[in-house]
Amino acid sequence: MTFLKTLPTTLLALACLGLAVPPLAAAAPPKPAKKAVKKAPPKKPAIDYTGEFVNFGQWKEVQQFMGDMEQKHGVPIAELEKLFLELRYIDAAVQLVKPAPPGKPKNWQAYRARFIEPQRINAGVEFWRNHRDTLARAEALYGVPAEIIVGIIGVETIYGRDMGKFRVLDVLATLAFAYPLAPNRDTRMAFFRGELEASIISARQTGLDPLTLVGSFAGAVGMPQFMPGNIYKLGVDFDGDGKVDLRNSAADAIGSVANFLVAHGWKREQPATLAYPASMSPAMAWEKFIDNGLDAKFRAEELTAAGVSTATPLPPGMLYGLVDLQNGSEPTEYWVGSNNFFSITKYNRSYFYAMSVVELGRAVKLSMKETL
Protein backbone atom coordinates (compact mmCIF):
# COMPACT_ATOMS: atom_id res chain seq x y z
CA MET A 1 0.00 0.00 0.00
CA THR A 2 2.84 2.37 0.59
CA PHE A 3 3.81 1.99 -3.08
CA LEU A 4 0.24 2.63 -4.22
CA LYS A 5 -0.10 5.74 -2.11
CA THR A 6 2.78 7.27 -4.02
CA LEU A 7 1.11 6.80 -7.45
CA PRO A 8 -0.89 9.54 -9.13
CA THR A 9 -4.72 9.01 -9.17
CA THR A 10 -4.93 7.69 -12.77
CA LEU A 11 -2.13 5.20 -12.28
CA LEU A 12 -3.63 4.10 -8.93
CA ALA A 13 -6.85 3.15 -10.70
CA LEU A 14 -4.95 1.03 -13.24
CA ALA A 15 -3.10 -0.73 -10.48
CA CYS A 16 -6.36 -1.58 -8.66
CA LEU A 17 -7.75 -3.16 -11.87
CA GLY A 18 -4.67 -5.37 -12.20
CA LEU A 19 -3.50 -3.59 -15.32
CA ALA A 20 0.13 -2.85 -16.05
CA VAL A 21 1.33 0.41 -14.73
CA PRO A 22 3.62 2.31 -17.10
CA PRO A 23 6.93 3.37 -15.65
CA LEU A 24 6.97 6.76 -14.01
CA ALA A 25 8.74 9.46 -15.97
CA ALA A 26 11.62 11.05 -14.18
CA ALA A 27 10.82 14.50 -12.89
CA ALA A 28 12.27 17.19 -15.14
CA PRO A 29 15.25 18.85 -13.47
CA PRO A 30 14.70 22.48 -12.55
CA LYS A 31 15.90 24.88 -15.19
CA PRO A 32 19.03 26.68 -14.11
CA ALA A 33 18.50 30.33 -13.36
CA LYS A 34 19.62 32.56 -16.16
CA LYS A 35 22.78 34.37 -15.36
CA ALA A 36 22.48 38.10 -15.43
CA VAL A 37 24.12 39.38 -18.57
CA LYS A 38 26.67 41.99 -17.69
CA LYS A 39 26.36 45.03 -19.84
CA ALA A 40 29.60 46.17 -21.38
CA PRO A 41 30.72 49.53 -20.01
CA PRO A 42 29.91 52.34 -22.39
CA LYS A 43 32.75 53.07 -24.75
CA LYS A 44 34.51 56.34 -24.26
CA PRO A 45 33.87 58.62 -27.19
CA ALA A 46 36.81 58.78 -29.56
CA ILE A 47 38.92 61.90 -29.14
CA ASP A 48 38.42 64.35 -31.97
CA TYR A 49 41.92 65.46 -32.91
CA THR A 50 40.90 67.38 -36.01
CA GLY A 51 38.27 69.73 -34.61
CA GLU A 52 36.05 72.09 -36.58
CA PHE A 53 36.49 75.22 -38.63
CA VAL A 54 35.33 78.39 -36.86
CA ASN A 55 37.16 81.15 -38.79
CA PHE A 56 39.28 82.43 -35.90
CA GLY A 57 40.30 85.39 -38.04
CA GLN A 58 36.89 87.01 -37.56
CA TRP A 59 37.19 87.04 -33.79
CA LYS A 60 37.96 90.43 -32.32
CA GLU A 61 40.57 89.08 -29.91
CA VAL A 62 42.35 87.25 -32.73
CA GLN A 63 42.43 90.39 -34.86
CA GLN A 64 44.02 92.24 -31.95
CA PHE A 65 46.55 89.41 -31.53
CA MET A 66 47.48 89.62 -35.21
CA GLY A 67 47.95 93.37 -34.91
CA ASP A 68 50.23 92.89 -31.92
CA MET A 69 52.25 90.25 -33.79
CA GLU A 70 52.81 92.63 -36.68
CA GLN A 71 53.79 95.47 -34.38
CA LYS A 72 56.09 93.44 -32.08
CA HIS A 73 57.64 90.99 -34.51
CA GLY A 74 56.98 92.37 -37.99
CA VAL A 75 54.79 89.43 -39.04
CA PRO A 76 52.51 90.66 -41.85
CA ILE A 77 48.81 90.51 -40.98
CA ALA A 78 48.08 88.94 -44.36
CA GLU A 79 50.39 86.04 -43.45
CA LEU A 80 48.67 85.60 -40.11
CA GLU A 81 45.20 85.77 -41.64
CA LYS A 82 46.16 83.00 -44.03
CA LEU A 83 47.51 80.93 -41.11
CA PHE A 84 44.41 81.40 -38.95
CA LEU A 85 42.19 80.27 -41.84
CA GLU A 86 43.92 76.88 -41.50
CA LEU A 87 43.35 76.57 -37.75
CA ARG A 88 40.52 74.63 -36.19
CA TYR A 89 38.66 74.72 -32.88
CA ILE A 90 39.48 71.63 -30.77
CA ASP A 91 36.68 71.01 -28.28
CA ALA A 92 38.56 67.99 -26.87
CA ALA A 93 41.31 70.37 -25.68
CA VAL A 94 38.73 72.55 -23.93
CA GLN A 95 37.24 69.53 -22.16
CA LEU A 96 40.63 68.12 -21.16
CA VAL A 97 41.88 71.30 -19.49
CA LYS A 98 38.82 71.58 -17.28
CA PRO A 99 39.59 70.92 -13.60
CA ALA A 100 38.62 67.61 -12.04
CA PRO A 101 35.16 67.57 -10.44
CA PRO A 102 35.19 68.73 -6.80
CA GLY A 103 35.13 66.21 -4.01
CA LYS A 104 37.18 63.52 -5.73
CA PRO A 105 39.98 62.62 -3.28
CA LYS A 106 43.56 62.60 -4.48
CA ASN A 107 45.28 59.23 -4.39
CA TRP A 108 49.05 59.08 -4.65
CA GLN A 109 49.24 55.29 -4.83
CA ALA A 110 46.80 55.17 -7.76
CA TYR A 111 48.74 57.93 -9.53
CA ARG A 112 52.05 56.18 -8.83
CA ALA A 113 50.81 52.91 -10.31
CA ARG A 114 50.32 54.58 -13.70
CA PHE A 115 54.01 55.45 -13.98
CA ILE A 116 56.07 53.05 -11.86
CA GLU A 117 55.17 49.94 -13.83
CA PRO A 118 57.10 47.34 -15.86
CA GLN A 119 56.47 48.70 -19.35
CA ARG A 120 57.78 52.15 -18.49
CA ILE A 121 60.70 50.80 -16.45
CA ASN A 122 61.79 48.47 -19.25
CA ALA A 123 61.51 51.28 -21.79
CA GLY A 124 63.62 53.42 -19.47
CA VAL A 125 66.35 50.81 -19.28
CA GLU A 126 66.43 50.64 -23.08
CA PHE A 127 66.53 54.44 -23.38
CA TRP A 128 69.35 54.72 -20.82
CA ARG A 129 71.42 52.04 -22.56
CA ASN A 130 70.91 53.62 -25.98
CA HIS A 131 71.87 57.10 -24.76
CA ARG A 132 74.28 56.32 -21.94
CA ASP A 133 77.03 58.66 -23.20
CA THR A 134 74.64 61.55 -23.84
CA LEU A 135 73.10 61.21 -20.38
CA ALA A 136 76.57 61.14 -18.81
CA ARG A 137 77.53 64.28 -20.76
CA ALA A 138 74.40 66.11 -19.62
CA GLU A 139 75.00 65.06 -16.02
CA ALA A 140 78.58 66.35 -16.16
CA LEU A 141 77.61 69.64 -17.82
CA TYR A 142 74.47 70.51 -15.88
CA GLY A 143 74.81 68.54 -12.66
CA VAL A 144 71.43 66.82 -13.12
CA PRO A 145 71.63 63.05 -12.51
CA ALA A 146 70.81 60.80 -15.45
CA GLU A 147 68.07 59.09 -13.47
CA ILE A 148 66.15 62.36 -13.08
CA ILE A 149 66.35 63.12 -16.80
CA VAL A 150 65.28 59.54 -17.56
CA GLY A 151 62.45 59.84 -15.03
CA ILE A 152 61.05 63.00 -16.62
CA ILE A 153 61.14 61.75 -20.21
CA GLY A 154 59.62 58.45 -19.08
CA VAL A 155 56.74 60.06 -17.20
CA GLU A 156 56.09 62.53 -20.00
CA THR A 157 56.01 60.31 -23.10
CA ILE A 158 57.36 56.82 -22.29
CA TYR A 159 60.59 57.87 -24.04
CA GLY A 160 58.92 59.28 -27.13
CA ARG A 161 56.28 56.58 -27.60
CA ASP A 162 53.35 58.90 -26.82
CA MET A 163 54.09 62.49 -27.82
CA GLY A 164 50.49 63.48 -28.54
CA LYS A 165 48.30 63.64 -31.63
CA PHE A 166 46.92 67.18 -31.59
CA ARG A 167 48.07 69.79 -34.06
CA VAL A 168 49.79 72.27 -31.75
CA LEU A 169 48.60 75.51 -33.32
CA ASP A 170 45.00 74.28 -33.25
CA VAL A 171 44.99 73.63 -29.50
CA LEU A 172 46.97 76.77 -28.69
CA ALA A 173 44.56 78.97 -30.65
CA THR A 174 41.57 77.22 -29.06
CA LEU A 175 42.88 77.65 -25.51
CA ALA A 176 44.19 81.16 -26.16
CA PHE A 177 40.81 82.47 -27.28
CA ALA A 178 38.19 79.99 -26.02
CA TYR A 179 39.48 78.72 -22.68
CA PRO A 180 36.66 77.26 -20.54
CA LEU A 181 35.14 79.27 -17.72
CA ALA A 182 37.36 79.02 -14.64
CA PRO A 183 38.58 81.35 -11.88
CA ASN A 184 41.97 81.65 -13.60
CA ARG A 185 40.59 81.91 -17.14
CA ASP A 186 42.19 85.25 -18.01
CA THR A 187 45.59 84.13 -16.74
CA ARG A 188 45.45 80.87 -18.66
CA MET A 189 44.32 82.55 -21.86
CA ALA A 190 47.22 85.00 -21.60
CA PHE A 191 49.60 82.06 -21.10
CA PHE A 192 48.36 80.24 -24.19
CA ARG A 193 48.48 83.41 -26.27
CA GLY A 194 52.14 83.69 -25.30
CA GLU A 195 52.69 80.08 -26.35
CA LEU A 196 50.91 80.68 -29.65
CA GLU A 197 53.11 83.72 -30.24
CA ALA A 198 56.27 81.71 -29.45
CA SER A 199 55.20 78.91 -31.80
CA ILE A 200 54.66 81.23 -34.74
CA ILE A 201 57.87 83.21 -34.20
CA SER A 202 59.99 80.10 -33.64
CA ALA A 203 58.60 78.44 -36.77
CA ARG A 204 59.36 81.52 -38.88
CA GLN A 205 62.93 81.70 -37.56
CA THR A 206 63.66 78.03 -38.20
CA GLY A 207 61.79 77.74 -41.48
CA LEU A 208 59.45 75.11 -40.03
CA ASP A 209 55.85 74.85 -41.20
CA PRO A 210 54.01 75.57 -37.91
CA LEU A 211 51.09 73.42 -39.02
CA THR A 212 53.29 70.31 -38.89
CA LEU A 213 53.86 70.57 -35.13
CA VAL A 214 51.99 67.83 -33.27
CA GLY A 215 51.77 67.48 -29.50
CA SER A 216 49.58 67.20 -26.42
CA PHE A 217 46.10 68.65 -25.84
CA ALA A 218 47.81 71.64 -24.19
CA GLY A 219 50.35 72.16 -26.96
CA ALA A 220 53.40 70.47 -25.42
CA VAL A 221 55.89 69.09 -27.91
CA GLY A 222 58.36 66.23 -28.25
CA MET A 223 59.86 63.59 -25.98
CA PRO A 224 60.08 65.91 -22.95
CA GLN A 225 56.79 67.70 -23.73
CA PHE A 226 58.13 71.25 -23.74
CA MET A 227 55.71 74.08 -24.30
CA PRO A 228 56.74 76.13 -27.37
CA GLY A 229 57.88 79.06 -25.23
CA ASN A 230 60.28 76.79 -23.36
CA ILE A 231 61.61 75.32 -26.60
CA TYR A 232 62.33 78.86 -27.70
CA LYS A 233 63.98 79.89 -24.40
CA LEU A 234 65.44 76.68 -22.94
CA GLY A 235 65.73 74.17 -25.77
CA VAL A 236 69.28 72.91 -26.32
CA ASP A 237 70.90 71.72 -29.55
CA PHE A 238 72.68 68.92 -27.68
CA ASP A 239 73.51 66.86 -30.75
CA GLY A 240 75.16 69.82 -32.50
CA ASP A 241 73.22 69.64 -35.77
CA GLY A 242 72.32 73.33 -35.70
CA LYS A 243 68.70 73.01 -34.58
CA VAL A 244 66.63 72.08 -31.54
CA ASP A 245 64.49 69.06 -32.38
CA LEU A 246 62.70 67.60 -29.38
CA ARG A 247 60.61 65.24 -31.50
CA ASN A 248 63.36 63.29 -33.24
CA SER A 249 66.56 63.94 -31.27
CA ALA A 250 66.91 62.16 -27.94
CA ALA A 251 70.11 64.15 -27.35
CA ASP A 252 68.28 67.47 -27.69
CA ALA A 253 65.56 66.19 -25.35
CA ILE A 254 68.13 65.12 -22.74
CA GLY A 255 70.07 68.39 -22.85
CA SER A 256 66.90 70.48 -22.81
CA VAL A 257 65.46 68.71 -19.75
CA ALA A 258 68.71 69.26 -17.82
CA ASN A 259 68.87 72.90 -18.92
CA PHE A 260 65.24 73.45 -17.85
CA LEU A 261 65.89 72.15 -14.34
CA VAL A 262 69.01 74.28 -13.88
CA ALA A 263 67.07 77.34 -15.09
CA HIS A 264 64.48 76.57 -12.40
CA GLY A 265 66.85 76.29 -9.48
CA TRP A 266 68.53 72.89 -9.64
CA LYS A 267 71.77 72.92 -7.63
CA ARG A 268 74.45 70.39 -8.56
CA GLU A 269 76.14 70.58 -5.15
CA GLN A 270 73.10 69.25 -3.25
CA PRO A 271 72.83 65.57 -2.19
CA ALA A 272 71.46 62.97 -4.58
CA THR A 273 68.53 62.23 -2.22
CA LEU A 274 65.69 64.59 -3.13
CA ALA A 275 62.99 63.52 -0.68
CA TYR A 276 63.05 61.96 2.80
CA PRO A 277 60.08 59.99 4.24
CA ALA A 278 58.82 61.73 7.36
CA SER A 279 56.97 60.86 10.55
CA MET A 280 54.72 63.50 12.05
CA SER A 281 54.15 64.43 15.69
CA PRO A 282 50.56 64.05 16.97
CA ALA A 283 50.76 67.64 18.24
CA MET A 284 50.44 68.74 14.59
CA ALA A 285 52.49 71.90 14.97
CA TRP A 286 53.87 70.97 11.54
CA GLU A 287 50.58 71.77 9.77
CA LYS A 288 51.73 75.33 9.13
CA PHE A 289 54.34 73.96 6.71
CA ILE A 290 51.69 72.35 4.46
CA ASP A 291 50.49 74.19 1.33
CA ASN A 292 53.34 76.67 1.23
CA GLY A 293 53.78 76.68 -2.52
CA LEU A 294 56.30 74.92 -4.71
CA ASP A 295 59.54 76.14 -3.17
CA ALA A 296 61.88 74.92 -0.45
CA LYS A 297 61.57 77.62 2.22
CA PHE A 298 62.31 76.10 5.62
CA ARG A 299 65.41 75.08 7.53
CA ALA A 300 65.74 71.55 8.85
CA GLU A 301 65.70 72.86 12.42
CA GLU A 302 62.31 74.52 11.89
CA LEU A 303 60.74 71.30 10.67
CA THR A 304 62.29 69.25 13.47
CA ALA A 305 61.07 71.71 16.11
CA ALA A 306 57.53 71.39 14.72
CA GLY A 307 57.57 67.59 15.10
CA VAL A 308 58.75 66.44 11.69
CA SER A 309 61.24 63.59 11.94
CA THR A 310 63.12 61.64 9.28
CA ALA A 311 64.96 58.34 9.60
CA THR A 312 67.98 59.90 7.88
CA PRO A 313 69.10 63.24 9.33
CA LEU A 314 68.47 66.12 6.92
CA PRO A 315 71.71 67.60 5.55
CA PRO A 316 72.37 70.98 7.18
CA GLY A 317 72.66 74.29 5.40
CA MET A 318 69.78 73.59 2.97
CA LEU A 319 66.17 74.63 2.64
CA TYR A 320 63.29 72.14 2.53
CA GLY A 321 59.56 71.90 2.09
CA LEU A 322 56.97 69.56 3.58
CA VAL A 323 55.28 67.37 0.97
CA ASP A 324 51.93 65.69 1.59
CA LEU A 325 50.93 62.82 -0.71
CA GLN A 326 47.26 62.12 -0.09
CA ASN A 327 46.02 58.55 -0.49
CA GLY A 328 42.26 58.84 -0.68
CA SER A 329 40.75 57.13 2.38
CA GLU A 330 44.16 55.76 3.40
CA PRO A 331 46.68 57.70 5.52
CA THR A 332 48.56 60.53 3.84
CA GLU A 333 52.27 60.03 3.19
CA TYR A 334 54.57 62.85 4.29
CA TRP A 335 57.98 63.62 2.84
CA VAL A 336 60.55 66.36 3.26
CA GLY A 337 61.57 67.64 -0.15
CA SER A 338 64.85 69.37 -0.96
CA ASN A 339 65.37 72.36 -3.23
CA ASN A 340 66.05 70.03 -6.17
CA PHE A 341 62.81 68.15 -5.56
CA PHE A 342 60.94 71.43 -5.88
CA SER A 343 62.82 72.23 -9.10
CA ILE A 344 61.02 69.26 -10.66
CA THR A 345 57.65 70.75 -9.67
CA LYS A 346 58.40 73.65 -12.03
CA TYR A 347 58.18 71.14 -14.87
CA ASN A 348 54.71 70.14 -13.73
CA ARG A 349 53.20 71.90 -10.72
CA SER A 350 52.44 68.79 -8.70
CA TYR A 351 53.98 66.90 -5.79
CA PHE A 352 52.63 63.69 -7.33
CA TYR A 353 54.45 64.44 -10.57
CA ALA A 354 57.78 65.23 -8.93
CA MET A 355 57.66 62.12 -6.75
CA SER A 356 56.76 59.91 -9.70
CA VAL A 357 59.79 61.28 -11.60
CA VAL A 358 62.04 60.50 -8.64
CA GLU A 359 60.65 56.99 -8.18
CA LEU A 360 60.62 56.08 -11.89
CA GLY A 361 64.23 57.23 -12.28
CA ARG A 362 65.22 55.21 -9.23
CA ALA A 363 63.39 52.11 -10.49
CA VAL A 364 65.05 52.33 -13.91
CA LYS A 365 68.48 52.80 -12.32
CA LEU A 366 67.93 49.76 -10.07
CA SER A 367 66.77 47.68 -13.02
CA MET A 368 69.84 48.76 -14.98
CA LYS A 369 72.09 47.44 -12.20
CA GLU A 370 70.18 44.16 -11.98
CA THR A 371 70.53 43.46 -15.69
CA LEU A 372 74.23 44.33 -16.04
Side-chain angles (χ1 to χ4, degrees), residues 270 296-300 302 315 317-321 337-340 342:
Q270 291 196 353
K297 302 176 181 177
F298 309 108
R299 292 177 290 109
E302 294 179 87
M318 291 171 49
L319 294 178
Y320 301 92
S338 69
N339 171 83
N340 287 350
F342 284 94

Side-chain angles (χ1 to χ4, degrees), residues 18-80:
L19 300 176
V21 179
L24 291 174
K31 293 182 179 180
K34 291 184 178 179
K35 293 183 179 179
V37 178
K38 291 184 179 180
K39 292 184 178 180
K43 292 183 179 180
K44 292 183 179 179
I47 294 177
D48 181 4
Y49 295 104
T50 58
E52 60 181 307
F53 176 72
V54 296
N55 199 350
F56 279 112
Q58 293 183 346
W59 295 15
K60 181 180 177 181
E61 295 84 355
V62 175
Q63 292 173 356
Q64 182 179 344
F65 174 83
M66 291 191 291
D68 292 342
M69 289 288 287
E70 183 178 52
Q71 185 176 3
K72 288 170 61 178
H73 304 290
V75 184
I77 285 184
E79 179 183 323
L80 292 166

Side-chain angles (χ1 to χ4, degrees), residues 125-368:
V125 170
E126 181 182 1
F127 182 85
W128 198 327
R129 285 177 175 161
N130 290 341
H131 306 288
R132 187 191 304 269
D133 293 343
T134 305
L135 287 162
R137 181 160 59 94
E139 183 168 340
L141 181 62
Y142 294 101
V144 179
E147 66 190 86
I148 298 300
I149 300 171
V150 168
I152 286 178
I153 298 176
V155 168
E156 291 291 342
T157 62
I158 318 180
Y159 309 99
R161 297 183 186 185
D162 184 10
M163 295 189 285
K165 298 179 181 179
F166 292 94
R167 201 165 63 164
V168 168
L169 257 61
D170 287 341
V171 295
L172 291 180
T174 299
L175 299 175
F177 302 107
Y179 197 88
L181 292 176
N184 62 345
R185 183 172 188 262
D186 290 343
T187 301
R188 298 304 292 163
M189 288 176 73
F191 169 77
F192 284 109
R193 289 180 193 184
E195 295 299 326
L196 181 60
E197 177 182 347
S199 295
I200 295 171
I201 297 304
S202 178
R204 291 182 94 243
Q205 291 180 348
T206 59
L208 176 72
D209 179 357
L211 297 174
T212 64
L213 274 177
V214 176
S216 75
F217 66 86
V221 176
M223 296 181 205
Q225 292 289 275
F226 266 32
M227 292 301 291
N230 282 328
I231 299 175
Y232 189 65
K233 292 181 292 186
L234 299 172
V236 174
D237 174 19
F238 211 52
D239 61 10
D241 67 352
K243 61 183 180 180
V244 176
D245 183 359
L246 301 185
R247 295 181 294 174
N248 303 301
S249 171
D252 288 0
I254 289 167
S256 297
V257 167
N259 189 45
F260 179 99
L261 291 175
V262 171
H264 289 85
W266 185 279
K267 300 182 186 300
R268 70 163 62 235
E269 68 275 9
Q270 291 196 353
T273 301
L274 304 190
Y276 303 81
S279 301
M280 319 305 287
S281 165
M284 301 185 73
W286 44 266
E287 279 192 317
K288 63 184 178 183
F289 297 114
I290 297 291
D291 295 330
N292 273 275
L294 299 176
D295 292 291
K297 302 176 181 177
F298 309 108
R299 292 177 290 109
E301 308 88 84
E302 294 179 87
L303 295 171
T304 301
V308 180
S309 60
T310 56
T312 303
L314 298 176
M318 291 171 49
L319 294 178
Y320 301 92
L322 190 56
V323 175
D324 59 326
L325 302 179
Q326 299 171 41
N327 274 316
S329 60
E330 298 299 315
T332 296
E333 290 182 30
Y334 292 96
W335 295 71
V336 175
S338 69
N339 171 83
N340 287 350
F341 176 89
F342 284 94
S343 294
I344 301 173
T345 66
K346 306 305 189 298
Y347 209 105
N348 182 311
R349 300 178 66 81
S350 162
Y351 291 161
F352 281 15
Y353 175 86
M355 190 62 76
S356 67
V357 165
V358 171
E359 294 209 4
L360 177 60
R362 183 187 300 140
V364 173
K365 184 177 182 179
L366 179 61
S367 186
M368 285 275 292

